[in-house]
Amino acid sequence: MRDRVCLVTGATNGIGYETALGLARRGARVAIVGRDAEKAQACAARIRAAVPGAAVDAHVADLSAQAEIRRLAGALRDAYPRLDVLVNNAGAIFDRRTLTIDGIERTWALDHLGYVLLTLELLDTLKASAAAGGKPRIVNVASAAHYRGHIDFGDIEGARRYGAMRAYAQAKLGNVLFTYALARRLKDSGITVNALHPGVINTGFARNTGGLFGTAWSLMRPFLSSPDKGAETSLHVASAPELDGVTGRYFSHRRPKPSSAESRDEAVQERVWALSLRQIGRSG
């Protein structure tokens, strides 16, 4: 990974932080994205302290807000003429239905549309890497929760029926559907696109979620795997030489694995692709 430029979102704690740290240890220049400027700078400093000589840059954005994503993408394009690895990792679960500044349900906006918009905004920098002889990779951190997910096109934002896990599973299914649709479109570009399940990990996930789900997660937390363990699959998909050219796959425990039947339905992939583009105000 020496001299490669890697971007990791949601990198101020948990799996995202460990992924960024692992990429820095492999010699990459790492750009991290977090919502809080102080935390992002502190995490960049921690990585530099752990990896002397590492090049780590901190960027700040609320990835549930489309204007913030576009602003961030512009800054990234200015800072990095090429991008070799994009790890879409930022996400959360919310026990109450709320809308973003764009009027979109927050889980879908952050956990799914955030991946879509940032990726499309940075495609030219990824293509620049391919044109220079690189082998750029897009890595979408999904979840095994996608097996429980269903795309409810009649109520995609849970206006009629909302549940925290239902919304989260649907968004993670969206990640896998997006991965397959984008991989098809980039088939001959030199850019690979893959999704993964990092494992059930003890991170800040669901820490601010109340109700039965929040209580259950709190009770489970001491028995979950550590964030560095959770980052293993993300790091493998982002950097393993044997995955050069491997695209349109779903990984778990560092191995390819069949994703859900709905995620493999090309008609559903295309419907979600079209819907997502409408919601972010893009065409094509």
Side-chain angles (χ1 to χ4, degrees), residues 1 151 240:
M1 302 298 290
I151 304 297

PDB file of all heavy atoms in Angstrom, residues 1 151 240:
ATOM      1  N   MET A   1       0.819  -1.223   0.000  1.00  0.00           N
ATOM      2  CA  MET A   1       0.000   0.000   0.000  1.00  0.00           C
ATOM      3  C   MET A   1       0.850   1.269   0.000  1.00  0.00           C
ATOM      4  O   MET A   1       0.322   2.367   0.099  1.00  0.00           O
ATOM      5  CB  MET A   1      -0.923   0.012   1.214  1.00  0.00           C
ATOM      6  CG  MET A   1      -1.857  -1.176   1.307  1.00  0.00           C
ATOM      7  SD  MET A   1      -2.992  -1.267  -0.086  1.00  0.00           S
ATOM      8  CE  MET A   1      -4.059   0.116   0.241  1.00  0.00           C
ATOM      9  N   ILE A 151     -36.245  -4.080   0.780  1.00  0.00           N
ATOM     10  CA  ILE A 151     -36.449  -2.735   0.260  1.00  0.00           C
ATOM     11  C   ILE A 151     -37.943  -2.504   0.078  1.00  0.00           C
ATOM     12  O   ILE A 151     -38.579  -3.090  -0.796  1.00  0.00           O
ATOM     13  CB  ILE A 151     -35.708  -2.521  -1.077  1.00  0.00           C
ATOM     14  CG1 ILE A 151     -34.210  -2.822  -0.919  1.00  0.00           C
ATOM     15  CG2 ILE A 151     -35.930  -1.090  -1.563  1.00  0.00           C
ATOM     16  CD1 ILE A 151     -33.469  -1.916   0.034  1.00  0.00           C
ATOM     17  N   ALA A 240      -5.655  -6.636   0.102  1.00  0.00           N
ATOM     18  CA  ALA A 240      -5.067  -7.935  -0.233  1.00  0.00           C
ATOM     19  C   ALA A 240      -4.712  -8.013  -1.721  1.00  0.00           C
ATOM     20  O   ALA A 240      -5.584  -7.800  -2.579  1.00  0.00           O
ATOM     21  CB  ALA A 240      -6.029  -9.067   0.119  1.00  0.00           C
TER      22      ALA A 240
END
